[in-house]
Amino acid sequence: MKQLLRVAESEGWNTALYNYTKVQVGKNGTVVEDQRTADWRYLLPLSSESVALVLGCGLGTVPVALSETCRKVYAVDSCWDKVAFLNIRKKQHKIDNLYPTYAHDTLSLPFSAGCFDLVSVRDMAQPLPFYKTVRRAHGLLKEGAIAHFSLGNRLAFQRLLCRGESGASPPLHTIFGYRRILKTEGFSDIQFYAVLPHHNGIPLFYIPLESSQAMEFFLRNIFPLFEMVTPESKQAFALEYMVAKIAVRLGLFFNLTSLAKIFVPGFCVIARKVV
Amino acid sequence: MQERLCEVRMLPELTNCVLDSWNSFFPGVDKPQNLCYLGISGSVEGGTTTVLGFNNRDSRPLFAVKIHRNYDACERAFNERDVLNYVGTCGGATAASVPRIILCERIAGTWVLVQSILDGSPMSAVMSNDRTPHIEVAAHNMHLAADWLLQLHEATRNDLEIDQAHLIQNGLKTIEDFSNIFDLLPDEYDFLKEVSDRLCATVSGNGCVQHGDFCRQNVLISKNADRTKIGVLDWTDAKLAGFPLHDLLYFLTTYCLQIRKELGITGFVNIFEDSFFKRNAYSNLIKQCITSYCAQLRLDLSFVKILFGMFLIEQAMFEYNKLVKFSTYGGLPRFHIYLASSNNRSYDEALKEQLWIYFFRVLTREQHNFII
């Protein structure tokens, strides 16, 4: 990140992001963020007067995307370098309604209670137990306002294969655990979407988990299209795809597709603060 | 300043809009109580994301919603609407093979295109052990694709007043831009001049509607009794008037790129050379396909190389312009970064890294071995 900042200041954020991503791709890694990272915004009932809070800047894609439609966007991160990079991006792109903000953790945010129309929670450098994050988000939201969470699944099949993410991460829950915590902390109208291939990269699919029809359609018609991806992608996801393929075939054969929601990689959750 | 002060309640408002006009949008179909959506992000440089609308009864989606992300959303949505509406008026099998436009509107500040669902699965291809596609499957697929394109050509050529002068003028401008942007060798400049000089003769009476992204993944195949039915989706990059052979060449060039055995840029280039410049069963199949297609169009075979050059130039410029536009939103697509990192390119050079310029160079270098 330090190198990213140096190049962003001297040569522009675009060049910095390119150099940073080039190194990742050169090591056979993936692009961390692109416009698709913020596609979940189309699922939300926002307003042009909305004031949004994004917890977890990432490389800035989500806050910048929200700033195109919201009145104000506050982007908070506990990683100083990420905040600094977003600030550079904001200045060079002349984004007036975006406010990058550093905070040590979600418990020490410099905002009044009930002032946001949207709180979007992504990864933060210092993770907290989920119920604490939800409680904090609840306090910051106006009555009837929306929270969005990007969450890993404790029973994600990749984790069961011991191919989960490395590094610090908040304690994970199952879909049932997340729903219970959200309800307990005062949220309703809770919608779960399975995010594929993972919740913390670039999502390619959002599958509504309340709809068995949509999941059935996905498993029968879209999942098999993985056979059509590039050889590089197949190589990168060979084991996960093989396991998922077996599970999908068994699930369809025994009519157990409703169990898929238990083992998906992660969730995009949209919930409304109870009035 | 980009428009920001707008209501954004997109999907909930779209749901209300669709349900309110249900009977006119979907005559004879029971109106659902509510709708839910499955999101499919697609390629990032494409600039669109798609959501499929479901009711709570059927596992077949009712409609598709294409959402345009970028600042030129309106122009792109209108373009696709106009082309699809035009093809729809042609009637017959051609009209039945394309999505029907249900709604093209700005819903809560976002341009969306609501389209009907086409039946079928994407056309698949199989690779043989000798790193060329399975011949029988490829022959069948090429026949289906070429047949459909001929129908499109026939349906849209006679009714549409194609401004040939405008088409050629645009083509020459594209060639000029191409020569200014990409660093070319002397032989490549010579070939550009040859394409430029002979372009006018190739068009004469042969322009038609162009799909623009006619890869096999956008061709849906379904079987009805003993008939094979084709559906063609993703008309985002379509044009009302394009150069002859463009879509066929796109289909043939991209046919097996995603099932190639070799990784990296070498894999792409080798497949391209095997397809168009080396003598094997697969290239012979391609040759037959193009020859037969040209015979149907009454297009002189000596024009094929020129049109192939024009096709690659158009694709290279289209890809470059798309990348420049896309880069303002941050980052480049992974594939372009991958190509750039392989050659240690700077950011400005990375904007020009793409397959089509590699293919153009092969065509120029190997034109004496071209199969036609």
Side-chain angles (χ1 to χ4, degrees):
Chain A
M1 283 301 298
K2 297 279 184 232
Q3 174 72 0
L4 183 73
L5 282 180
R6 262 197 299 274
V7 178
E9 278 165 351
S10 58
E11 297 178 53
W13 68 270
N14 239 332
T15 302
L17 197 56
Y18 164 71
N19 289 345
Y20 176 83
T21 313
K22 195 171 75 167
V23 170
Q24 310 299 318
V25 171
K27 288 190 255 181
N28 223 19
T30 56
V31 174
V32 175
E33 286 181 7
D34 63 34
Q35 281 183 285
R36 294 174 292 184
T37 311
D39 273 354
W40 47 263
R41 69 192 190 274
Y42 298 115
L43 303 170
L44 304 183
L46 293 173
S47 155
S48 59
E49 291 300 308
S50 290
V51 179
L53 171 65
V54 179
L55 297 178
C57 290
L59 292 174
T61 305
V62 170
V64 168
L66 288 177
S67 74
E68 291 172 5
T69 47
C70 293
R71 186 165 65 88
K72 284 185 184 179
V73 178
Y74 292 85
V76 175
D77 207 290
S78 53
C79 171
W80 176 259
D81 291 339
K82 287 184 179 176
V83 177
F85 180 69
L86 181 58
N87 203 38
I88 293 171
R89 203 170 158 171
K90 161 202 158 87
K91 284 181 181 168
Q92 291 179 0
H93 231 203
K94 296 182 175 49
I95 303 172
D96 299 325
N97 62 331
L98 175 60
Y99 304 94
T101 308
Y102 172 79
H104 182 64
D105 58 51
T106 50
L107 295 179
S108 54
L109 298 176
F111 304 114
S112 311
C115 61
F116 290 103
D117 301 290
L118 166 69
V119 172
S120 170
V121 181
R122 304 176 69 225
D123 295 329
M124 297 262 298
Q126 293 181 359
L128 294 173
F130 183 62
Y131 80 90
K132 284 191 179 178
T133 303
V134 173
R135 190 171 292 171
R136 193 70 183 101
H138 186 275
L140 291 166
L141 283 167
K142 297 176 184 173
E143 300 290 328
I146 296 293
H148 159 260
F149 300 93
S150 176
L151 302 168
N153 181 11
R154 186 169 162 189
L155 293 179
F157 78 94
Q158 293 102 323
R159 285 172 56 87
L160 299 178
L161 292 175
C162 299
R163 285 166 80 94
E165 307 94 5
S166 58
S169 60
L172 300 179
H173 298 270
T174 65
I175 182 174
F176 310 108
Y178 286 126
R179 190 185 293 277
R180 177 177 47 79
I181 292 170
L182 285 162
K183 279 186 173 171
T184 303
E185 298 299 328
F187 284 94
S188 66
D189 295 339
I190 302 167
Q191 300 171 50
F192 277 83
Y193 290 82
V195 183
L196 301 175
H198 8 254
H199 73 287
N200 59 351
I202 298 172
L204 301 182
F205 302 100
Y206 294 85
I207 308 170
L209 291 179
E210 275 75 31
S211 167
S212 57
Q213 288 78 19
M215 176 62 82
E216 180 101 8
F217 177 83
F218 175 82
L219 293 177
R220 285 192 187 280
N221 298 283
I222 298 180
F223 179 80
L225 298 180
F226 184 81
E227 299 291 343
M228 292 190 148
V229 302
T230 61
E232 289 83 3
S233 296
K234 277 189 192 163
Q235 196 180 53
F237 294 103
L239 178 59
E240 288 96 329
Y241 178 64
M242 188 182 71
V243 172
K245 194 170 161 182
I246 295 169
V248 167
R249 282 191 180 168
L250 288 173
L252 288 171
F253 185 79
F254 291 108
N255 206 18
L256 295 173
T257 53
S258 57
L259 296 182
K261 64 185 175 195
I262 299 173
F263 302 107
V264 294
F267 308 108
C268 161
V269 184
I270 297 166
R272 188 182 294 277
K273 176 175 173 175
V274 173
V275 175
Chain B
M1 182 191 292
Q2 196 172 5
E3 250 189 273
R4 291 185 280 107
L5 299 180
C6 51
E7 292 284 320
V8 182
R9 304 173 189 269
M10 211 283 292
L11 278 180
E13 201 160 301
L14 176 69
T15 298
N16 290 339
C17 183
V18 169
L19 290 177
D20 285 347
S21 305
W22 185 264
N23 291 330
S24 63
F25 289 157
F26 303 101
V29 179
D30 289 341
K31 179 176 166 179
Q33 294 204 328
N34 207 345
L35 297 167
C36 69
Y37 298 96
L38 186 158
I40 304 171
S41 286
S43 73
V44 64
E45 60 269 38
T48 62
T49 196
T50 300
V51 286
L52 302 180
F54 290 83
N55 63 15
N56 55 3
R57 280 196 318 269
D58 306 312
S59 55
R60 184 181 185 273
L62 297 166
F63 55 85
V65 184
K66 189 178 286 189
I67 302 166
H68 288 268
R69 293 192 199 96
N70 301 335
Y71 60 83
D72 59 350
C74 174
E75 179 193 332
R76 296 184 85 202
F78 277 9
N79 178 68
E80 186 170 357
R81 176 202 66 182
D82 291 346
V83 174
L84 282 174
N85 280 343
Y86 172 70
V87 176
T89 60
C90 295
T94 305
S97 64
V98 306
R100 175 175 63 91
I101 295 293
I102 294 165
L103 189 71
C104 174
E105 242 177 64
R106 196 160 173 241
I107 303 278
T110 302
W111 278 100
V112 301
L113 207 58
V114 181
Q115 305 177 2
S116 63
I117 296 291
L118 295 177
D119 289 327
S121 303
M123 182 185 276
S124 62
V126 181
M127 210 60 154
S128 301
N129 292 333
D130 64 351
R131 82 173 193 194
T132 56
H134 190 283
I135 290 298
E136 279 162 22
V137 172
H140 178 67
N141 287 340
M142 285 180 196
H143 171 73
L144 287 175
D147 213 42
W148 185 87
L149 286 172
L150 281 169
Q151 284 177 30
L152 178 72
H153 186 273
E154 196 51 42
T156 61
R157 184 171 72 101
N158 293 327
D159 289 346
L160 192 67
E161 280 185 19
I162 293 170
D163 184 349
Q164 282 188 183
H166 190 64
L167 182 61
I168 292 164
Q169 191 181 20
N170 282 346
L172 294 175
K173 175 76 174 56
T174 301
I175 293 171
E176 187 188 343
D177 291 341
F178 179 85
S179 71
N180 290 334
I181 284 162
F182 294 98
D183 301 321
L184 302 176
L185 299 172
D187 283 352
E188 290 161 359
Y189 277 113
D190 290 341
F191 182 58
L192 268 193
K193 187 165 184 324
E194 187 184 352
V195 172
S196 187
D197 290 344
R198 297 181 62 194
L199 193 63
C200 183
T202 67
V203 172
S204 181
N206 278 313
C208 67
V209 163
Q210 180 178 301
H211 178 276
D213 190 13
F214 193 70
C215 56
R216 60 177 174 82
Q217 291 86 344
N218 284 334
V219 179
L220 303 183
I221 306 292
S222 57
K223 290 211 185 324
N224 191 3
D226 57 347
R227 275 189 60 230
T228 299
K229 208 171 131 193
I230 280 193
V232 179
L233 42 75
D234 198 357
W235 290 74
T236 311
D237 300 325
K239 292 200 277 198
L240 284 171
F243 287 102
L245 296 191
H246 183 106
D247 284 338
L248 180 67
L249 291 172
Y250 192 99
F251 179 84
L252 296 172
T253 306
T254 59
Y255 178 76
C256 55
L257 291 184
Q258 284 197 327
I259 55 169
R260 70 197 188 284
K261 301 279 194 219
E262 280 180 87
L263 302 183
I265 188 61
T266 311
F268 286 106
V269 170
N270 285 345
I271 282 277
F272 184 66
E273 287 178 344
D274 287 346
S275 301
F276 295 100
F277 304 97
K278 292 191 177 162
R279 299 307 185 258
N280 52 61
Y282 181 61
S283 67
N284 196 43
L285 191 63
I286 290 180
K287 179 180 174 179
Q288 286 172 20
C289 179
I290 295 174
T291 306
S292 167
Y293 191 86
C294 288
Q296 297 283 326
L297 293 188
R298 295 193 195 87
L299 188 65
D300 195 309
L301 285 179
S302 68
F303 292 155
V304 175
K305 190 181 76 173
I306 300 303
L307 287 169
F308 200 10
M310 190 66 229
F311 157 70
L312 293 175
I313 292 163
E314 274 195 302
Q315 284 303 125
M317 282 310 303
F318 176 72
E319 194 83 6
Y320 173 77
N321 289 329
K322 198 166 60 170
L323 272 187
V324 167
K325 194 166 45 177
F326 171 80
S327 68
T328 60
Y329 291 90
L332 293 178
R334 186 188 187 278
F335 181 66
H336 297 277
I337 297 177
Y338 168 75
L339 287 182
S341 72
S342 305
N343 296 308
N344 202 24
R345 302 283 191 227
S346 68
Y347 175 70
D348 288 332
E349 290 167 338
L351 293 174
K352 301 179 208 173
E353 279 294 309
Q354 30 125 313
L355 275 186
W356 304 106
I357 189 65
Y358 281 93
F359 291 168
F360 174 79
R361 294 203 156 109
V362 171
L363 173 61
T364 308
R365 190 177 70 236
E366 300 288 335
Q367 55 182 299
H368 52 283
N369 287 326
F370 187 46
I371 55 173
I372 305 292

